[in-house]
Amino acid sequence: MTEKTLRVAVEYVKEASAVAHVRPYANKFPLSNGIDLGLVLEPLPEEGHWRVELRVAVSARNSQDVLCFEAACAMEAIVVARGLSPEELDQSLRFGVASSLMGSARALITNLSSNTGYGPLVLPPIEAARIAALAPAAQAPGGVEPSTD
């Protein structure tokens, strides 16, 4: 019987950016924020290796609907899985690994937004189920294509 293991071999920042479109002192209106998330689960050529990418983008618009600043990042992890059923692998990647990446992305977005001059933007907690729902089920190479329902 094969031992069940899931190991994050590496986690890193793939991309990060912050842009202040309006100088903070020039904005005289309250801001509201928007959050966009994206999740990619991709099998790699090496058996049991997966790439998990989480993208987080925030934007702040003032009450006049002017885009004042944006901050975005893409966090990536390379994961090695052994002995897991397809369901266990899917759940581990979509809930466990993606949630861990979200924690790193939250901290990075806070730092990036601070550098725009508007002060730090602390993202609210985002449920693991919401993050997991962003990507189709993880499928091993040669497996059945995930449903798009």
Side-chain angles (χ1 to χ4, degrees):
M1 179 175 199
T2 304
E3 183 180 354
K4 295 181 180 189
T5 61
L6 182 87
R7 180 175 59 89
V8 176
V10 64
E11 178 182 317
Y12 54 93
V13 177
K14 183 177 177 184
E15 297 173 12
S17 64
V19 178
H21 299 284
V22 176
R23 291 181 178 99
Y25 60 83
N27 179 49
K28 307 298 182 202
F29 304 98
L31 297 175
S32 62
N33 302 314
I35 302 171
D36 290 315
L37 302 169
L39 180 64
V40 174
L41 309 176
E42 176 186 12
L44 297 174
E46 298 84 9
E47 184 179 344
H49 287 65
W50 288 82
R51 181 180 77 86
V52 180
E53 179 183 304
L54 177 71
R55 292 186 167 275
V56 179
V58 297
S59 59
R61 293 186 174 275
N62 67 20
S63 58
Q64 303 300 303
D65 201 32
V66 173
L67 179 61
C68 293
F69 79 84
E70 299 173 284
C73 68
M75 302 298 301
E76 193 166 274
I78 304 301
V79 179
V80 181
R82 301 274 189 249
L84 299 176
S85 71
E87 295 80 19
E88 291 170 325
L89 174 64
D90 182 59
Q91 293 294 306
S92 296
L93 295 176
R94 288 160 35 99
F95 285 90
V97 176
S99 292
S100 174
L101 291 175
M102 186 63 202
S104 298
R106 286 182 79 220
L108 184 54
I109 290 292
T110 298
N111 286 337
L112 289 169
S113 63
S114 293
N115 294 330
T116 66
Y118 281 92
L121 174 65
V122 179
L123 295 177
I126 297 174
E127 293 180 14
R130 178 175 174 201
I131 297 168
L134 297 171
Q139 295 289 326
V144 178
E145 287 295 317
S147 170
T148 58
D149 293 345

